[in-house]
Structure formats: structure tokens, C-alpha cells
Amino acid sequence: QVQLVESGGGLVQAGDSLRLSCAASGDTFKTYTMGWFRQVPGKEREFVAAIKWTGSSSLYSDSVKGRFTISKDNAKNTVYLQMNSLKPEDTAVYFCMGDPYALVDLIPTMNGDFGSWGQGTQVTVSS
């Protein structure tokens, strides 16, 4: 399994943009379908976005569609989440995860028992 480390979180104002990065170790990253989830204390982890291991298709939750973009750079072993037009309700800890050759449509159903997960990065959006 790959090891995943998120970065790029921080405190921003509503309407600002932020780009999260998730760096992966190892040489199998190119086979990994990747996803981003987020979690607010006291609530369940929520699916945000996913991208197929080939980069040919992606999936977004309704709450971020049109504002967030997921991308994957296999040469850099990194997946990104570009977040635009941020809202206070986007405040959460953001986690990246990956699973080899997974169907992108299955990523939203995955919990911590499947795949590799990072430790998370905090995103706080002030109003």
C-alpha cells in the first residue's frame, strides 16, 4: 500500500480558493484510484471527490460540484483538490485516500477499512 500525506490546508475567508495536495510514496501510485473525503467533529466522514487511476474520469459530491476540481499527477505521485468559492460549510478535516484499480463510482462507499488513507489536513473557512 502507498503512504499518503496531505498538505495545503489552512484558514481562509469565504470566497477564497485553496489547493490541497496529497503526496504518495512508492511506485504503484499510478494504479490508484484516488479520493478526497472530509469530516467535521461529531459527523460522519463525507465523500468529496474521486478520480480514476487513469485520470480519465472523476466524480464529485453535489455539495462541491462546480467549485472543486480533483486532479492526479502520476509523475509527481500527487493528487490535488483545487477548491474555489469556499464556503464556511466547507470547514472540515480533509483526507485523501486511494485504492488500486478501484471503480471511481465505488469510492464514495469506502470507509477506513478499505484502501490507504492519509492523516488529514484542516481547512477552515471564515465568514
Side-chain angles (χ1 to χ4, degrees):
Q1 289 187 337
V2 297
Q3 303 296 316
L4 302 173
V5 179
E6 303 95 336
S7 62
L11 172 63
V12 297
Q13 293 186 333
D16 285 351
S17 297
L18 204 59
R19 188 177 79 160
L20 304 183
S21 300
C22 175
S25 65
D27 57 3
T28 59
F29 176 75
K30 61 184 178 182
T31 68
Y32 273 65
T33 295
M34 300 297 296
W36 286 95
F37 287 72
R38 65 188 182 187
Q39 190 169 23
V40 175
K43 294 188 176 182
E44 291 188 356
R45 196 168 295 185
E46 174 192 18
F47 167 74
V48 176
I51 187 166
K52 187 177 179 179
W53 61 280
T54 59
S56 59
S57 64
S58 57
L59 183 68
Y60 297 91
S61 68
D62 288 342
S63 60
V64 307
K65 196 175 298 182
R67 300 188 298 121
F68 291 11
T69 303
I70 188 171
S71 60
K72 188 173 186 273
D73 188 337
N74 287 332
K76 295 183 177 181
N77 272 20
T78 302
V79 63
Y80 303 97
L81 185 68
Q82 177 66 43
M83 305 185 295
N84 299 330
S85 303
L86 282 161
K87 305 175 181 179
E89 50 263 44
D90 294 318
T91 296
V93 177
Y94 283 72
F95 300 87
C96 71
M97 60 78 60
D99 199 54
Y101 301 115
L103 297 175
V104 69
D105 289 345
L106 291 181
I107 295 295
T109 68
M110 292 190 173
N111 57 32
D113 293 334
F114 295 95
S116 300
W117 291 77
Q119 293 302 305
T121 185
Q122 176 71 48
V123 172
T124 303
V125 184
S126 64
S127 58

